[in-house]
Every structure is written in C-alpha cells, then in structure tokens.
Amino acid sequence: MSIVAIVGRPNVGKSTFFNRLIQRREAIVDATSGVTRDRHYGKSEWNGREFTLIDTGGYVKGSDDVFEAEIDKQVELAIDEADVILFMVDVETGVTGMDEDVSKLLRKVKKPVLLVINKVDNSKRNADAVEFYALGLGEYYTIASINGSGTGDLLDAIVKVLPEREEENNEDLPRFAVVGRPNAGKSSFINALIGEDRYIVTDIAGTTRDSIDTKYNRFGFEFNLVDTAGIRRKSKVKEDLEFYSVMRSVRAIEHSDVIILVLDATRGFEGQDQNIFWLAEKNKKGVIILVNKWDLVEKETKTTKEYEAKIRREIEPFTDVPILFVSVLTKQRIFKAIETAVEVFERRKNRISTSKLNDTMLDIIERNPPPANKGKFVKIKYCMQLPTPTPQFVFFCNLPQYVKEAYKRFLENKMRDIFDFHGVPIIIYFRQK
C-alpha cells in the first residue's frame, strides 16, 4: 500500500486535514498516535484506492528546540519513505521563510509533491493563494480542512499520482510479516528459521532497511516471510530509528496476513511495541507475539505468567493473542512460533455457517440479553458472517443504537471461545432489522 506524507511548518492545519481524511469511510482504520510529538498514522480510501496517511510534526529548520529537531528528522524521513508528499501551507499567513525552507527541500525530491493551500474558504482567499507560485512547486490545490472544501479534487489528484498496484507474487501463499522495534531480533529470527544468514544481522539497531520477502518451505509449512530487512548505510544510522521502524512496519503489516511481533524481553513491552501491535489489530491481521531473548531474563517461579499478564494488560481489549517466549540465539521455540502463525492464519479464514451461528449465539443472547437502555429493550433476531476476507459478523436487531460496547465485547469473547478465533481480530456490527 502506498504511503502519503503530509508535511509543512507548524499550525497550518495538517492534523485537521488528516483527521478528516481518515474518517471519510466507516471501514477506515483509526489513527494510531506515535510516541513523539504530533505524529499519527491512518488509512484512507478514495475511488477504490487505499493508502496510508502519515501526519508529521511541523518542520522548523535550524531550531535549537530538542523536540523540533526530532520532528525535523522525522519529516525528512517521511519524505524519504513516502510515495506521495502533500506540502501544506496557510493562506492566512502567506509565504513564510519556513515555507521556503521546506520547498527547497521538496524541489530536490524525485517523487510527486502536491502543494496544498489550506484555509481557502472564500473567493478573496482563493485570489490570495496565487502568491504560493513563488515556492516553485507549480500548480497547487486549495482546500479548507475545517469544512472539507476542496478535498475531493485533492484526493482525485493523490489517487492519480499513486504508484501502480504491485503484482503480488505467490499470492496463494500466506504472508507472515516479522515486525518490531529496532534490534529486537527480527532478522536473527528469520536467519534461524531458514538456516542461513539471508539477512544482514548486526548489533546496531536499525541495520535493516528494505522490506524483503523470503519463501519458506520446510517441515510441511509453506509461506512468504516478510521482514523489514536489507542493508542500511552507516550514514543513515543517525535517523530516527523508532519512527523508521513504524514506517517500515506500516508497509509490511498492510501486505501480510499474520503479524509476528518480536519483542526484546530485556526491554519489555514498550510504547513502540504497542503502536505496532495496534497497527496490526486495526488492519485486522492475525497476530502472535514473540518475547525474544528470554534466555537473558532472570527467572523465578511466576516470571513467565507475570510477564505475559503485563503484556495482556497493555493490549486490552484484544487480549486473545498467542504469546510465546523464545530465544533466537538458542533456537528455543522458534519453530513453535511458525506453527502458531500458521494456526492463526487458518483461524483467520474460519467460516461459520449461518445456521450454526444462529443456533449458538441466539441461545447465548436469550440467556444474556443486552441490558435495557433508557427503558428500551434490544431484541436481537438474527446473525450472520459477512463474506469478507477477515472475520466480520452482523447482528440484526430492533435498536442497534442502544447496544453498548461492553455487550459487543461480551459477544466477541463468546465467539472467540466457541469458534476458536485465537489471535485473530474480529468485527461485530449491529444493524436495524
């Protein structure tokens, strides 16, 4: 899936525009906040084309502020990784020195750059927008992100310059993406599986750079392994590695069926691990968690249970995820990890017949009906699985607006237990009968 990055100086309305785009469709994945200032990831769709949207922080060249310097690195990295760049400016303030700094950066980029002039909500401001030709980026698009004016034309332009869809090789084979923080052991995990140093593995966090597929065919398993791997030039090691890992994970996650999230046991389940986990969950991928370097952890009787319980608290409410404690160095349980990933892939394809689903779930609902709300009683009459690639179910009732999230979660948990969706996100809808 293509990546579209929104860049520009602070306070031009990037986040407002981002929020508008990701809420454009019911099925769009919500934004996931990053671990540093003003960075969000989301998924949008227009005219049948989906793309990942990244809202970066405001670019301030030469700032002494530590946060702004960090944001600047992330903006430059987003420009490097994105397929299309939206350069947003503000018609109210006109062309500023910071706008000129960004435009100089973007004029060197050999990829589509769309100049977006925000806050153009009347004819006078439309005339004022002409001054932005001075930035040397050619034609521009005028929008008002606060009310959505002009966004349709801009989205048409974005879709027009998106790269052509890539042909999927071995499309009948499942794709397992190995993702995680820098230096968690992702490449070492794959090397241990395939029995050779297929990937560059060093002690330097962020050694890997490009996403590479490897066909795995051993012990009765056949699938494509997707690793955010490759060779990283030493001059690039200074980049923001945490942001980089999420950028690469976005692509890997969206093109895969099951996500193998590798943690470093000595560091624990940290904020960046959680961000990557929720990217997988929101994209409705199967998930397993590998706690790597378990051989380096000092253990007592309850260490494993306590560690697992802590992870499950961090990933609530989607806690029904396989968690395996492994050591890539000693190859402890790494083949069990692959076996588990295959099982999750098969569960993700589960189809429940309508008759079986109704016989099971309507009996549970009759014994545990939705709580009354404002004196209204919800009556669920029928349910069915939707013909979607991932497990999605619809329950038909008289008052869908009164069904609370807690009751949805109750039904989801029952379905997980009964129909074995361990490690697989499922979606439940309530519709008017």
Side-chain angles (χ1 to χ4, degrees):
M1 191 176 299
S2 301
I3 292 179
V4 177
I6 310 171
V7 303
R9 60 183 173 80
N11 304 316
V12 296
K14 298 188 301 297
S15 295
T16 303
F17 176 67
F18 171 87
N19 290 336
R20 177 166 291 278
L21 287 198
I22 65 165
Q23 294 168 0
R24 191 169 280 278
R25 295 283 187 274
E26 180 179 343
I28 287 171
V29 178
D30 295 334
T32 301
S33 296
V35 293
T36 58
R37 279 190 181 178
D38 301 325
R39 186 174 77 237
H40 299 88
Y41 311 89
K43 191 163 68 176
S44 189
E45 178 267 335
W46 186 256
N47 290 343
R49 288 297 303 272
E50 289 187 333
F51 53 90
T52 296
L53 199 65
I54 295 181
D55 171 29
T56 63
Y59 186 87
V60 184
K61 186 177 179 181
S63 172
D64 293 330
D65 183 276
V66 64
F67 286 108
E68 289 179 347
E70 190 70 15
I71 289 168
D72 291 355
K73 286 195 298 181
Q74 293 165 11
V75 170
E76 291 170 3
L77 182 56
I79 290 171
D80 184 45
E81 289 295 319
D83 299 294
V84 178
I85 300 154
L86 306 183
F87 174 28
M88 187 168 287
V89 294
D90 181 352
V91 74
E92 286 184 345
T93 57
V95 177
T96 69
M98 283 186 284
D99 292 331
E100 291 174 346
D101 289 336
V102 179
S103 67
K104 288 177 184 176
L105 188 68
L106 294 177
R107 284 200 296 270
K108 301 174 184 176
V109 175
K110 298 185 183 301
K111 57 184 67 175
V113 177
L114 304 183
L115 177 59
V116 182
I117 306 175
N118 194 20
K119 306 179 185 178
V120 181
D121 53 6
N122 58 53
S123 56
K124 181 182 182 304
R125 289 185 172 182
N126 196 58
D128 292 340
V130 175
E131 73 167 294
F132 287 93
Y133 276 120
L135 294 176
L137 293 171
E139 294 297 321
Y140 56 77
Y141 298 85
T142 58
I143 67 166
S145 59
I146 195 72
N147 60 26
S149 173
T151 55
D153 290 339
L154 176 58
L155 284 164
D156 286 341
I158 292 171
V159 169
K160 191 177 294 185
V161 297
L162 287 177
E164 292 296 319
R165 291 183 175 93
E166 296 179 1
E167 292 292 329
E168 292 288 346
N169 295 321
N170 300 311
E171 57 185 22
D172 292 334
L173 293 178
R175 293 168 62 87
F176 298 165
V178 182
V179 300
R181 295 170 58 99
N183 211 25
K186 302 184 296 296
S187 296
S188 298
F189 171 68
I190 293 186
N191 287 342
L193 281 177
I194 64 179
E196 59 182 84
D197 289 340
R198 171 66 177 82
Y199 297 107
I200 302 297
V201 182
T202 75
D203 292 331
I204 300 173
T207 303
T208 57
R209 183 162 183 84
D210 300 314
S211 181
I212 299 175
D213 284 17
T214 296
K215 186 175 180 180
Y216 184 92
N217 188 352
R218 289 188 179 186
F219 310 112
F221 300 126
E222 187 174 11
F223 51 83
N224 282 323
L225 274 172
V226 185
D227 182 27
T228 49
I231 300 174
R232 185 188 190 85
R233 299 194 306 274
K234 288 184 179 180
S235 62
K236 294 290 186 178
V237 174
K238 63 184 180 182
E239 291 173 353
D240 185 317
L241 299 175
E242 300 297 340
F243 181 41
Y244 178 83
S245 71
V246 174
M247 290 284 290
R248 303 311 296 164
S249 294
V250 167
R251 289 191 190 274
I253 286 168
E254 289 174 343
H255 289 86
S256 300
D257 300 298
V258 177
I259 308 307
I260 302 173
L261 174 55
V262 182
L263 319 181
D264 182 337
T266 63
R267 298 180 64 175
F269 190 76
E270 300 180 312
Q272 194 72 313
D273 299 312
Q274 196 169 13
N275 283 335
I276 295 172
F277 175 85
W278 286 115
L279 280 171
E281 191 275 339
K282 288 174 180 177
N283 279 276
K284 304 307 171 190
K285 307 298 184 180
V287 183
I288 73 169
I289 296 175
L290 302 188
V291 183
N292 188 27
K293 307 182 185 179
W294 193 238
D295 54 312
L296 302 180
V297 174
E298 292 187 12
K299 303 172 190 66
E300 297 179 358
T301 307
K302 297 183 179 180
T303 302
T304 303
K305 288 185 178 180
E306 290 173 353
Y307 202 110
E308 181 176 334
K310 184 177 180 181
I311 292 175
R312 295 197 188 280
R313 284 195 299 270
E314 295 293 332
I315 63 176
E316 289 179 344
F318 181 34
T319 59
D320 187 27
V321 176
I323 300 175
L324 281 72
F325 295 83
V326 306
S327 169
V328 170
L329 187 63
T330 64
K331 297 189 177 182
Q332 181 186 24
R333 285 191 283 275
I334 63 169
F335 296 104
K336 177 64 176 177
I338 290 304
E339 183 181 336
T340 303
V342 171
E343 291 170 354
V344 169
F345 174 75
E346 293 300 329
R347 292 188 197 109
R348 195 166 173 260
K349 298 189 298 181
N350 278 357
R351 298 291 305 173
I352 314 301
S353 70
T354 302
S355 59
K356 182 178 180 181
L357 188 64
N358 279 271
D359 288 345
T360 304
M361 297 309 298
L362 292 185
D363 180 58
I364 291 171
I365 291 167
E366 185 178 353
R367 287 185 277 113
N368 301 275
N373 191 330
K374 299 179 182 178
K376 305 287 186 179
F377 291 89
V378 178
K379 296 182 179 179
I380 300 172
K381 300 292 186 181
Y382 182 73
C383 56
M384 62 180 290
Q385 184 170 1
L386 297 174
T388 53
T390 57
Q392 300 183 29
F393 301 87
V394 59
F395 287 75
F396 294 96
C397 60
N398 59 334
L399 298 167
Q401 68 272 28
Y402 289 119
V403 180
K404 298 298 184 182
E405 193 65 34
Y407 193 74
K408 285 185 182 180
R409 196 67 59 193
F410 164 75
L411 293 183
E412 178 182 328
N413 290 337
K414 287 294 183 182
M415 294 174 70
R416 287 186 175 284
D417 291 341
I418 296 168
F419 301 118
D420 190 17
F421 285 109
H422 187 41
V424 181
I426 64 177
I427 303 176
I428 294 177
Y429 301 102
F430 285 85
R431 294 287 182 264
Q432 183 84 38
K433 174 62 176 174

